[in-house]
Amino acid sequence: MPFWKKSFSKRTNVHFPQAIVQGKPVETEAIAKDLSRISTVSNSDVQAVLGDIAPVMHNRMAQGKSVHIKGLGYFRYVLDTKGVKDLKDFDFGKQVQAVRVQFTPERTKQSGGTYTRALVDSDQLEWIELSPNTPDQDPAPEPGGEDDRPVIE
């Protein structure tokens, strides 16, 4: 069951529901065990493949491709940039602030023409409200913080 709490934005002066992560992240080893239980592949084989997926995806995306993991979704590189008013000031290296990976969940067409996204079956989710005083938990803090993102120079 996912969790949410009421939050307030001082910038926009509005109240809104916010999804909250509780506890520690589920690590690769636990995912590998779950996958091995529902397949004919051993836990160690699943861990070996999952351990190699990031560099393989990077290599393909570095070729200008998007990566599609069937049943999961699409991954591609996107740029955080700043613009310039005059084309003569255009400088790719100076304008690119960061390189990020964008994930788009796979979608499946349902009867009636609607779509459902992988990982998001809203009919199956039962959201539990937490107190607004519940502290936020960072599910996977980045080493070195947000400034540790890859940047093109």
Side-chain angles (χ1 to χ4, degrees):
M1 291 175 248
F3 299 93
W4 70 278
K5 71 177 185 179
K6 294 174 186 162
S7 292
F8 179 73
S9 170
K10 292 178 183 173
R11 186 177 61 83
T12 57
N13 204 30
V14 296
H15 296 270
F16 59 95
Q18 178 183 12
I20 301 296
V21 173
Q22 291 291 292
K24 296 179 180 178
V26 176
E27 297 292 342
T28 305
E29 293 80 8
I31 297 295
K33 285 179 186 176
D34 291 348
L35 288 170
S36 70
R37 279 190 211 108
I38 63 170
S39 71
T40 59
V41 183
S42 74
N43 178 27
S44 57
D45 289 339
V46 174
Q47 285 194 47
V49 171
L50 290 176
D52 289 334
I53 198 167
V56 169
M57 290 175 64
H58 163 73
N59 287 338
R60 294 299 185 147
M61 290 187 298
Q63 296 170 4
K65 305 281 187 182
S66 66
V67 173
H68 175 219
I69 306 293
K70 188 174 182 177
L72 184 62
Y74 298 83
F75 298 81
R76 68 184 185 110
Y77 285 137
V78 294
L79 302 174
D80 280 353
T81 61
K82 62 180 179 181
V84 292
K85 292 185 182 205
D86 194 332
L87 189 56
K88 69 179 174 153
D89 296 326
F90 192 95
D91 183 330
F92 180 84
K94 290 181 181 175
Q95 289 175 248
V96 173
Q97 304 293 293
V99 178
R100 299 188 191 279
V101 175
Q102 180 181 54
F103 168 66
T104 304
E106 187 163 306
R107 66 183 194 164
T108 307
K109 191 169 188 174
Q110 303 296 307
S111 59
T114 61
Y115 288 90
T116 185
R117 293 270 186 193
L119 306 176
V120 185
D121 187 353
S122 56
D123 293 340
Q124 301 292 324
L125 295 176
E126 181 182 335
W127 289 87
I128 306 297
E129 183 178 3
L130 298 176
S131 162
N133 299 329
T134 303
D136 292 349
Q137 296 181 13
D138 189 349
E142 292 288 326
E146 235 184 336
D147 293 329
D148 202 41
R149 301 177 298 230
V151 175
I152 295 177
E153 298 183 5

